[in-house]
Amino acid sequence: MGLTKETIKESLDAIQVIEPRFEKAISAVGYPEPRINPAGYQTLLRTIVGQQVSVAAATSVWNKLEALLGSGCPADKLIATDFDELRACGLSRQKQGYARSLAELILSGELDLNHLPEDDEEAIARLTQVKGIGRWSAEIYLLFALGRPDIWPAGDLAIQAGVASIMEHDTRPSEKLLREMALPWSPHRGSVAIFIWHLYNTTVM
């Protein structure tokens, strides 16, 4: 499960000691609510379905897929379904390739979501074996589905903008610079990321 409300608060309280500039931001918008996604195949498949479309469109496609394949869109049924049937549900050729990549890795046992490496970088490498699952998607899965506490999605534009605002920088830091800047915030970076999304969605930066 993802990080709990208590864990997020404890981490953010620790961060205010490490970097006092967070105190002003936390006082302004408060602590974020937790976001918890179920671990497993279904969450990764929904990530693929939802890429580059609105939440409403992704929900519509998912509902059609479940009507066709059954609850959770089982991997074996997805693999056995032909292109036109999946296309009729709204799943593009590219996304079908990604979905089949995930399903094949799950069915073959090459990707065991119940036993991902404990090392975060190794877990990200394992997840990005799936076509269509890049580093950001892997980080989001580890943070919100598995509750890995030190995940830091430094390539996220909202995270970059949020850190620039908190640290009073004129420009957004690059992904590389943001990873360096956040090293002192370990092992609380997952909670920091959750807070910065909360800040970004609460205020105009």
Side-chain angles (χ1 to χ4, degrees), residues 47-121:
T47 297
I48 290 169
V49 169
Q51 288 174 347
Q52 299 179 324
V53 297
S54 69
V55 172
T59 300
S60 175
V61 173
W62 182 261
N63 290 341
K64 290 175 183 176
L65 287 171
E66 283 202 311
L68 176 66
L69 303 174
S71 178
C73 303
D76 57 342
K77 292 187 177 180
L78 190 150
I79 289 289
T81 304
D82 68 30
F83 172 83
D84 289 335
E85 287 182 286
L86 294 175
R87 178 76 177 187
C89 294
L91 205 62
S92 68
R93 181 181 296 276
Q94 184 180 54
K95 287 186 180 179
Q96 286 193 41
Y98 297 163
R100 290 182 187 279
S101 170
L102 171 61
E104 287 167 358
L105 287 168
I106 293 293
L107 291 172
S108 70
E110 291 181 62
L111 179 60
D112 184 352
L113 295 175
N114 294 319
H115 297 94
L116 288 173
E118 292 185 9
D119 179 83
D120 290 337
E121 288 299 321

Side-chain angles (χ1 to χ4, degrees), residues 7-188:
T7 298
I8 293 170
K9 184 179 185 302
E10 288 172 4
S11 287
L12 293 176
D13 287 345
I15 284 296
Q16 292 179 74
V17 175
I18 297 168
E19 176 45 73
R21 277 175 283 197
F22 273 93
E23 184 176 358
K24 180 180 177 181
I26 293 169
S27 296
V29 299
Y31 295 95
E33 291 297 317
R35 172 182 153 189
I36 298 174
N37 294 333
Y41 158 80
Q42 182 176 327
T43 291
L44 283 176
L45 183 58
R46 290 199 73 148
T47 297
I48 290 169
V49 169
Q51 288 174 347
Q52 299 179 324
V53 297
S54 69
V55 172
T59 300
S60 175
V61 173
W62 182 261
N63 290 341
K64 290 175 183 176
L65 287 171
E66 283 202 311
L68 176 66
L69 303 174
S71 178
C73 303
D76 57 342
K77 292 187 177 180
L78 190 150
I79 289 289
T81 304
D82 68 30
F83 172 83
D84 289 335
E85 287 182 286
L86 294 175
R87 178 76 177 187
C89 294
L91 205 62
S92 68
R93 181 181 296 276
Q94 184 180 54
K95 287 186 180 179
Q96 286 193 41
Y98 297 163
R100 290 182 187 279
S101 170
L102 171 61
E104 287 167 358
L105 287 168
I106 293 293
L107 291 172
S108 70
E110 291 181 62
L111 179 60
D112 184 352
L113 295 175
N114 294 319
H115 297 94
L116 288 173
E118 292 185 9
D119 179 83
D120 290 337
E121 288 299 321
E122 290 181 15
I124 289 168
R126 193 72 56 84
L127 289 167
T128 53
Q129 292 179 94
V130 180
K131 294 177 182 177
I133 298 293
R135 183 182 180 91
W136 182 87
S137 295
E139 288 171 332
I140 295 304
Y141 178 81
L142 293 174
L143 180 57
F144 291 123
L146 299 189
R148 298 277 181 106
D150 206 30
I151 293 295
W152 183 237
D156 188 280
L157 296 181
I159 298 291
Q160 293 171 3
V163 170
S165 175
I166 292 168
M167 304 299 285
E168 301 176 345
H169 289 190
D170 293 331
T171 59
R172 283 191 293 107
S174 66
E175 180 176 351
K176 181 180 178 182
L177 177 57
L178 191 52
R179 292 197 185 281
E180 293 173 358
M181 289 173 63
L183 286 174
W185 306 340
S186 180
H188 307 291

